[in-house]
Structure formats: structure tokens, C-alpha cells
């Protein structure tokens, strides 16, 4: 079988796998942003009882391999009676992991907004949360976009690890095709090309977002 | 209106304010001056609780700033403040800058807040810029918007923290003009500034601070006529001789 015919026949499987990969990536992006925002807020709350568990969580998630986390959630938790479908387990693991990184980005960006902005909002009688919501967060978001995009683009690649819990996303789909065709080289290259394309799409989204957020602030001295 | 009673403040072991006491009566304009690092900005930020203090108390319109039970946001919503670096919200339009706190803090509806905001924007001569963003305005214009933003909350008093220090020289007067007008209309004002022309024109009293303490608290006439302390004399001779 020549390479072209091979790819042609493999295409439907890879496409279906790509669909799952996108599902994981987008699901975990949303989940990761929510988890990250929650953690960032906890760490900035000024309340010690909330700060240190959040800090501990971030440290643990960043300090252990994602693969191990996926195994714990999918194979480990059933031992204490918590069982997930593979897709749920995958999205959950990726969200919890990405959330830890995202929270650090958000925390840094929030701290990066000038203290004077807090003071100006406070001086008008606004509270902590109002200030965070209306004044600081919108400005922090702009600072955070490049680094958030970094986390979210790595996420696309990290989805390949979910193949270990038997979800036929792009990586496992590729492996399955290889196991029947014995042609690893063109198929892995095809998979790599698809991952790259997905990343390129998200890079484009990042660029659009930066331009949009940058527009109103562009002339700020 | 504002009564500062024996305020002391420390950053760790370093004492930034030492036993400061003074009073600003309703309708009075008090100018606070002194060399940099003398604690002027810190003192004025204590008045609306942006800076905490460890000893003494400040009473604003009958409310204690130091009392932990005081609702500070509520108190702050009644005292306007203008900052050295303007601190307009760069991601919001000028109109949004003027209306946000009116809506979020005072609960005014959008129309009401906009009408009030634009009226004050007109008053500082910038109505044409309502839809721009702060970054599109000059420093002087931004500071005038900041004054309008503070006034939009219908404050009982205004605090100015070096409002012209970050401005290019040609923009200083446009901001001072607005402040003079406010003073002449009877606004209670506490102004940290080195603009002695402004002080001469509208101040009732001048406070001179050095090393965290109030060294001189005198009527304008006394202060410019014959400052009692040597430090104030030296300071005045330095800033008035050119």
C-alpha cells in the first residue's frame, strides 16, 4: 500500500480521533480556566485557611506527572468508590492539572496591575470583589493572554496522554491504525501534523484575542 | 468635617507619621506641603483609610476611620480622592470611568449616572471626549476627568494627593483652575501640593510636614508672612526662589 492510499484509508479514524482530542482540549480549557480562576481567587483572598490549601494544591499538581494524575483519577479513585467514564476522567484530569498552571498565571497578572488602580476603585467606595471584577481583572486578562495561551496550547498536546485510559482520541486512533497496517512512520507524522494544525488554530485565536484586548489600551502611556 | 487626632503610623520599625493632629472644617481648603518623604501622601491616604494607622484616630463627618466596625467603603464613597498618577481605569471609556462607581456603589441607574457624569465632564471642559479612552487624553485632561469622576459621587470633601506633580508644566494650570473653582464654590478640600500659587489663592490654612510630623499648621497669611519654623522657612525659600 503506498503512503497516499494508506493515509486515505486511515483518514476517517484519525478524523474521529481528532474530534475526541478537540473535545478533551476544549473541555479542559473551560474546566482549567474555571479551576484556575477559583484557585487564584482563593490565593489572593487574604484568608490563610483558604490560601494554603490552594497553594498546596498548585504545588502538588505541578509537582507530579500528568500521567500519574490521570491514572489516579481513572484507576485509583474507583478503589474509594468514585468512578468516572473515561471521557469524564480525561477532561477532569486535564482540567485539574491545567487549572494549577492557569491559577499561577492569573495570580501573577492580577498582581501585575498597578496598586493605584485598587486605590482608585477603593477611594470611590468599591469593595474588593467589585474592584477585582470591574477594574483589575479586565486589565489582568490582557497581561495574562500570552502566558494563558501557552498553557492552553500545551493542553492540546497533553490530551495525547489520555490515550492511556482507552479513549480513542487522535493518539490512540493512530496507534490502532498502525497495529493493523504496520506503517508507523507516515501515520505518526500525520498525527503530528494534525496536532500542529490544531495548535496553529489556537495560536490564531490567541492573536485575535490579543489584538482585541490590546485595542482599547493601545495608547495608554 | 475632617478631624485628625494624634495619628502615628509605622512600617515595621520605621515610623512614617508621628503624632499628627489637625482639623479641616467644612468649606475649608487646607494645603499640605513639605519635602518628599515627609509623610504628606501617607497622611492624606489615612483620611479615607487607604492607609492604616496604628495610633490615634481620624473622624470624618462624625465617622471614625480607625474603628474596625466602620464601613470603610461607605465612608470612602463620600470622600472624593484625586491621585498623583490620575488612576483612571484604562480599559473603560471616559463615560464608563465616570459612571461605574455611581452605579455599583450608589446604585444609580445608567441614565441617571450618565447624565450626572457628563454634567461634571462638561464642567471640567471635556464633554467632547466622553467616548474616548483615558490613554487618548493628555495628562492634564486625564486629571480633570479624575476630578470629575470623584465629584460624580457627590462627595462631602475632596482629597488631592499631589494632583499636578506628574504633569508636564504646561498642563498644570488647567488642573489648578478646576481646583480653584471648586474651592471657591465652598468644597471642603485637603490638598497635598507644592503649588504655592494655588495655596496663596485659595487656601485657608497651610500645613508643613517634615519627617512624618506636622511642623507648622498656620493660616495662609502667617505661613507665607512669617513661618515660625526654620525648616518651613528653608523649604519655602527653596521652592519660591525661581
Amino acid at each position: 500500500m503506498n503512503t497516499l492510499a494508506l493515509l486515505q484509508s486511515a483518514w476517517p479514524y484519525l478524523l474521529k480521533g481528532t474530534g475526541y482530542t478537540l473535545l478533551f482540549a476544549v473541555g479542559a480549557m473551560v474546566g482549567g480556566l474555571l479551576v484556575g480562576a477559583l484557585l487564584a481567587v482563593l490565593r489572593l483572598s487574604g484568608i490563610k485557611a483558604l490560601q494554603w490549601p490552594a497553594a498546596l494544591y498548585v504545588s502538588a499538581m505541578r509537582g507530579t506527572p500528568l500521567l500519574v494524575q490521570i491514572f489516579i483519577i481513572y484507576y485509583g479513585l474507583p478503589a474509594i468508590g468514585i468512578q468516572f467514564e473515561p471521557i469524564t476522567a480525561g477532561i477532569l484530569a486535564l482540567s485539574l492539572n491545567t487549572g494549577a498552571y492557569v491559577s499561577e498565571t492569573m495570580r501573577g497578572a492580577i498582581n501585575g496591575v498597578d496598586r493605584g488602580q485598587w486605590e482608585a476603585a477603593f477611594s470611590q467606595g468599591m469593595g474588593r470583589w467589585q474592584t477585582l471584577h470591574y477594574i483589575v481583572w479586565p486589565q489582568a486578562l490582557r497581561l495574562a493572554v500570552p502566558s494563558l495561551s501557552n498553557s492552553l496550547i500545551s493542553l492540546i498536546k497533553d490530551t495525547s496522554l489520555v490515550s492511556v485510559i482507552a479513549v480513542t482520541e487522535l493518539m490512540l486512533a493512530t496507534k490502532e491504525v498502525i497495529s493493523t497496517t504496520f506503517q508507523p512512520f507516515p501515520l505518526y507524522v500525520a498525527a503530528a501534523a494534525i496536532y500542529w494544525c490544531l495548535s496553529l488554530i489556537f495560536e490564531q485565536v490567541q492573536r485575535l484575542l490579543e489584538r482585541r484586548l490590546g485595542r482599547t489600551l493601545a495608547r495608554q502611556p | 468635617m475632617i478631624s485628625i487626632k494624634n495619628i502615628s503610623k509605622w512600617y515595621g520599625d520605621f515610623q512614617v507619621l508621628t503624632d499628627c493632629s489637625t482639623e479641616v472644617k467644612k468649606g475649608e481648603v487646607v494645603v499640605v506641603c513639605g519635602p518628599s518623604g515627609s509623610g504628606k501622601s501617607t497622611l492624606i491616604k489615612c483620611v479615607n483609610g487607604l492607609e492604616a494607622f496604628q495610633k490615634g484616630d481620624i473622624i470624618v463627618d462624625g465617622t471614625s476611620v480607625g474603628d474596625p466596625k466602620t464601613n470603610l467603603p461607605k465612608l470612602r464613597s463620600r470622600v472624593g480622592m484625586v491621585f498623583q498618577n490620575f488612576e483612571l481605569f484604562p480599559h473603560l471609556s471616559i463615560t464608563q470611568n465616570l459612571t461605574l462607581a455611581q452605579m455599583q456603589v450608589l446604585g444609580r441607574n445608567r441614565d441617571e449616572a450618565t447624565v450626572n457624569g457628563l454634567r461634571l465632564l462638561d464642567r471640567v471642559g471635556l464633554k467632547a471626549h466622553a467616548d474616548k479612552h483615558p490613554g487618548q487624553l493628555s495628562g492634564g485632561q486625564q486629571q480633570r476627568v479624575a476630578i470629575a469622576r470623584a465629584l460624580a459621587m457627590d462627595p462631602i470633601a475632596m482629597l488631592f494627593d499631589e494632583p499636578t506633580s506628574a504633569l508636564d508644566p504646561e498642563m498644570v494650570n488647567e488642573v489648578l483652575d478646576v481646583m480653584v473653582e471648586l474651592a471657591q464654590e465652598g468644597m471642603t478640600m485637603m490638598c497635598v501640593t507644592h503649588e504655592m500659587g494655588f495655596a496663596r489663592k485659595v487656601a485657608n490654612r497651610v500645613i508643613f510636614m517634615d519627617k512624618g510630623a506636622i511642623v507648622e499648621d498656620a493660616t495662609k497669611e502667617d505661613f507665607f508672612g512669617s513661618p515660625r519654623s526654620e525648616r518651613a522657612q528653608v523649604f519655602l525659600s527653596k521652592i519660591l526662589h525661581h
Side-chain angles (χ1 to χ4, degrees), chain A residues 113-128 130-131 133-139 213 215-221, chain B residues 45 48 50-51 72-74 76-77 79-81 83 86-92 97 100-101 104-105 133-136 142 149-150 153:
Chain A
V113 174
D114 195 82
R115 202 173 103 93
Q117 291 282 303
W118 287 94
E119 286 191 341
F122 286 162
S123 79
Q124 291 184 89
M126 289 173 73
R128 240 179 125 79
Q130 283 176 321
T131 304
H133 178 185
Y134 293 104
I135 306 302
V136 175
W137 178 243
Q139 296 181 62
L213 288 169
R215 202 185 298 147
T216 54
L217 293 164
R219 271 167 282 190
Q220 183 66 11
Chain B
K45 282 181 178 175
N48 63 354
L50 283 181
E51 292 279 359
L72 272 183
K74 191 168 174 205
R76 290 179 186 138
S77 72
V79 180
M81 184 157 205
F83 298 85
F86 332 135
E87 303 298 352
L88 293 180
F89 306 131
H91 60 300
L92 301 177
N97 264 279
L100 182 67
Q104 293 302 325
V105 177
H133 276 74
Q136 293 166 272
Q142 289 192 53
R149 179 176 71 175
M153 303 293 284

Side-chain angles (χ1 to χ4, degrees), chain B residues 9-50:
Chain B
K9 177 181 171 68
W10 289 262
Y11 285 125
D13 287 338
F14 181 66
Q15 187 160 12
V16 277
L17 293 176
T18 308
D19 202 25
C20 296
S21 298
T22 188
E23 190 144 351
V24 184
K25 295 197 186 71
K26 191 169 190 303
E28 244 185 351
V29 176
V30 172
V31 162
V32 183
C33 63
S36 66
S38 59
K40 324 176 286 284
S41 290
T42 309
L43 181 68
I44 204 172
K45 282 181 178 175
C46 285
V47 172
N48 63 354
L50 283 181

